[in-house]
Amino acid sequence: MTVSGIDVASYQSDTYSTTGLGFVLVKATEGTGYANPRHAAQIATGRRHSLVVGHYHFVRPGSMTAQATYFLQHAAARAGDVLALDWEDTGVTGAQKDAWIEHVQAAAPRNRVLLYCNRDFWLHRDPTSFAGDGLWIADPGAPAGRPRVDFHWTIHQYSETGGLDRDVANFANTAALRAWAAKGTPAPAHEPFPGVAWFTLGRRSPVVAAMHARLVAVGCNHYASSANKDVIGSGDVASYEAWQRKYNTEHHKGWTGAALKWPPGKETWDALKVPNV
């Protein structure tokens, strides 16, 4: 099940319809020189109708610290509000978007911080797969709640209808979304299985470094060194295949052939217990 929502900016009404909605995400700022003049009124409409509200920043090239500070000053978020980075400018690197998210997470510990981007940015421009507390993915070519990414998503922007961007949040109901936004639901202890397609050579991510550490810890160390341990390489392939052979033997699975080869499968990934990063 999912929760319906919308996202709005200055060109939408302050008094948008909230019928059937559980949340609204409102543009607050862009760069360090633009603040949405309707932001406060659009947020007030959401609060008045008991929606979970969020604020987002359209990032531009420049200082990420300055933009994060500008955003937080103008958003004036309350505890339990969602914060998000809108990453659409090709002049902003993956490392810079990571820096913005990390700065806001540190400065606003009572709020969830999301990354918004489209599939092209996520699949072809993002070298780290870092999305803060959750991925808000734009994929209007996919049915609602079925974005075409092999990664745990939090919000899917799936269409524009009636002049509004339409979204669904990956929660059973609005109460569950509100509890998560308020940090009433702890982060999972272990990284969820990111999908087979995620395990591509050359991918850089803190999850890869965490996997590296776990493979060493369970006695499947086939790494030549610990350099670039956050990048998937031949050492990860050899070490993970050793883990699959070990798991197969210890749990009497009877796997052979391709079942023991790279890439990882969900069962052995869950059993490896890669810590949440």
Side-chain angles (χ1 to χ4, degrees):
M1 296 179 66
T2 56
V3 180
S4 296
I6 58 173
D7 56 274
V8 300
S10 61
Y11 48 87
Q12 270 96 25
S13 170
D14 299 347
T15 55
Y16 48 85
S17 172
T18 61
T19 302
L21 303 182
F23 68 96
V24 62
L25 298 160
V26 180
K27 182 173 181 177
T29 51
E30 181 172 330
T32 56
Y34 173 81
N36 174 10
R38 290 185 166 180
H39 171 263
Q42 290 170 331
I43 287 290
T45 295
R47 296 199 197 282
R48 188 165 60 250
H49 292 275
S50 300
L51 304 187
V52 175
V53 302
H55 319 256
Y56 71 88
H57 173 75
F58 193 105
V59 66
R60 292 297 191 184
S63 168
M64 294 299 106
T65 300
Q67 291 190 59
T69 300
Y70 184 76
F71 166 70
L72 291 169
Q73 289 173 343
H74 286 82
R78 301 178 185 176
D81 289 357
V82 176
L83 309 177
L85 178 69
D86 183 346
W87 184 34
E88 300 181 53
D89 192 315
T90 58
V92 178
T93 68
Q96 288 176 315
K97 66 88 177 169
D98 288 358
W100 189 97
I101 292 171
E102 290 168 349
H103 183 96
V104 173
Q105 285 181 315
R110 300 185 300 171
N111 302 93
R112 299 286 187 181
V113 184
L114 306 182
L115 168 68
Y116 169 91
C117 65
N118 60 37
R119 283 184 74 241
D120 176 66
F121 271 61
W122 181 252
L123 297 176
H124 304 121
R125 295 181 182 273
D126 191 341
T128 66
S129 298
F130 177 63
D133 293 306
L135 175 63
W136 175 14
I137 186 72
D139 186 9
R146 296 174 60 189
R148 294 166 295 175
V149 291
D150 289 317
F151 193 86
H152 179 76
W153 58 274
T154 302
I155 297 175
H156 175 203
Q157 184 189 77
Y158 65 92
S159 78
E160 181 180 347
T161 306
L164 290 173
D165 288 323
R166 303 284 173 173
D167 305 87
V168 290
N170 195 11
F171 295 88
N173 49 49
T174 302
L177 170 59
R178 193 180 307 280
W180 174 83
K183 296 199 167 181
T185 302
H190 304 113
E191 285 290 337
F193 181 59
V196 171
W198 188 87
F199 294 96
T200 57
L201 292 176
R203 178 180 291 280
R204 183 183 298 274
S205 170
V207 176
V208 179
M211 177 185 73
H212 176 123
R214 283 296 299 146
L215 289 169
V216 172
V218 297
C220 296
N221 183 2
H222 286 248
Y223 293 100
S225 75
S226 59
N228 296 317
K229 65 181 181 181
D230 59 343
V231 179
I232 295 179
S234 59
D236 296 292
V237 175
S239 298
Y240 203 96
E241 288 184 348
W243 163 242
Q244 294 194 130
R245 292 193 298 272
K246 180 178 181 178
Y247 182 87
N248 178 52
T249 299
E250 292 179 348
H251 293 82
H252 310 289
K253 290 292 180 178
W255 294 339
T256 60
L260 297 173
K261 297 294 185 179
W262 181 270
K266 186 176 186 306
E267 183 174 344
T268 56
W269 178 266
D270 289 346
L272 186 58
K273 293 181 169 48
V274 176
N276 182 265
V277 294

